[in-house]
Amino acid sequence: MKRLSIILAVAILSLSFFQESAAKSPLIGVSASENSPAAAPSTYIKSIRKAGGVPVVIPMTTDKEQLEKILATVDGILMTGGEDIDPLKYYGEEPLRAQGEIVPYRDEFDCMLIKMAVEKGLPLLGICRGEQLLNVVFGGTLYQDIPSQAKDSYVKHRQQAPSSYGTHSISIEKGSILNKVLGTERAVVNSFHHQAVKDPAPGFKVIARAADGIIEGIQMNEKVFGLQFHPEGFVANGDDTFLPIFQYFVEKANEYQSGKK
Ligand code: MN
């Protein structure tokens, strides 16, 4: 009887330990965006939550110690969309007349955050501007303005439709994160950009393209990737077509968290 109760106690203890470690939701740092340097659009927040992660906004800063502290706490980084990136400073091109608004402080913050997070081995998902920055940080270039620079582009990439409504198709590379996660080689996505990845950074793979050849997704490895479209626009509005992207990302963050112990 005594032995049985010991066995039972051990079983209950190990079960509760397992449940505790499995139930921990990873902390996802979401880069601040828009005009407020300490806030991020709720669409990103909602999508991370729906996928089982715990989102926290990372306020803009270029203080390395502050960022190190934050990066020691989070299990994944989501880089949000936004303004254009300074072409001269970040990929050595004079600004074209069609270049849009630049926010120098945000450029600096975002680039530091990406560099430090990837160096640390954190999973990172870049969306729109986040994808473009990921490419630029590792030595790639951008189209500053698709309509005036990409000669063969004919697809409308600045859609005039709700963000939860897809307007152009993409073809997805076999074996890529996107292909594995969505289980398809074709999807219809939303599109709100006039810039795009031109030359992918060394070591990056193109994982999706629009019908006109414009790059719609890149990946560095199995946990660092970027998308030109906005999956959060669908998920936050109740369309779960692209929820598996966030679930995959949160799962990678979960793996990272387990490895920290
Ligand atoms: Mn597009």
Side-chain angles (χ1 to χ4, degrees):
M1 192 62 200
K2 199 178 174 194
R3 190 180 291 168
L4 182 67
S5 52
I6 290 171
I7 290 169
L8 262 175
V10 169
I12 288 165
L13 267 176
S14 45
L15 187 69
S16 63
F17 174 76
F18 174 75
Q19 278 177 335
E20 197 191 328
S21 53
K24 272 185 185 153
S25 311
L27 202 59
I28 307 294
V30 182
S31 69
S33 72
E34 292 185 318
N35 300 321
S36 169
S42 60
T43 48
Y44 298 99
I45 305 292
K46 280 184 195 166
S47 301
I48 292 293
R49 281 191 183 141
K50 195 155 191 192
V54 178
V56 281
V57 177
I58 305 181
M60 283 183 208
T61 178
T62 52
D63 184 321
K64 213 171 170 215
E65 274 179 41
Q66 287 263 329
L67 287 176
E68 273 168 1
K69 261 249 151 75
I70 292 165
L71 290 175
T73 312
V74 298
D75 307 303
I77 293 288
L78 176 65
M79 300 299 301
T80 56
E83 304 83 2
D84 287 0
I85 299 145
D86 180 349
L88 187 59
K89 186 167 177 184
Y90 292 97
Y91 50 99
E93 285 182 12
E94 293 298 329
L96 301 178
R97 283 191 297 263
Q99 164 75 40
E101 188 192 353
I102 288 170
V103 185
Y105 186 61
R106 185 176 180 198
D107 279 354
E108 213 180 317
F109 159 67
D110 280 350
C111 287
M112 277 182 82
L113 187 57
I114 290 173
K115 239 180 255 176
M116 290 170 71
V118 172
E119 237 166 63
K120 222 174 148 39
L122 279 156
L124 185 142
L125 167 57
I127 292 179
C128 197
R129 167 191 165 88
E131 178 227 27
Q132 295 166 4
L133 272 165
L134 176 64
N135 187 51
V136 162
V137 162
F138 290 98
T141 62
L142 303 180
Y143 285 118
Q144 289 182 45
D145 179 55
I146 297 168
S148 59
Q149 279 188 295
K151 297 278 169 279
D152 298 327
S153 172
Y154 64 91
V155 170
K156 187 177 174 84
H157 287 281
R158 262 189 166 165
Q159 76 180 43
Q160 290 165 295
S163 63
S164 57
Y165 186 80
T167 57
H168 77 61
S169 68
I170 54 168
S171 54
I172 298 168
E173 194 62 31
K174 242 189 189 158
S176 66
I177 290 176
L178 217 46
N179 176 233
K180 280 188 271 184
V181 161
L182 299 176
T184 178
E185 286 174 56
R186 187 184 177 276
V188 176
V189 299
N190 54 13
S191 196
F192 296 93
H193 59 115
H194 79 119
Q195 302 206 311
V197 170
K198 188 163 67 180
D199 303 304
F204 278 70
K205 275 193 297 192
V206 173
I207 61 172
R209 283 182 193 271
D212 58 356
I214 291 296
I215 294 173
E216 294 276 339
I218 53 171
Q219 77 177 65
M220 180 191 230
N221 51 44
E222 293 303 307
K223 60 179 179 181
V224 176
F225 63 114
L227 303 170
Q228 183 55 71
F229 59 98
H230 289 269
E232 81 287 358
F234 295 87
V235 176
N237 286 296
D239 179 341
D240 290 344
T241 309
F242 298 109
L243 180 62
I245 294 171
F246 292 101
Q247 287 169 328
Y248 173 85
F249 176 55
V250 166
E251 188 190 304
K252 286 286 151 191
N254 216 355
E255 284 171 17
Y256 179 86
Q257 188 189 39
S258 312
K260 279 204 293 197
K261 280 166 201 155

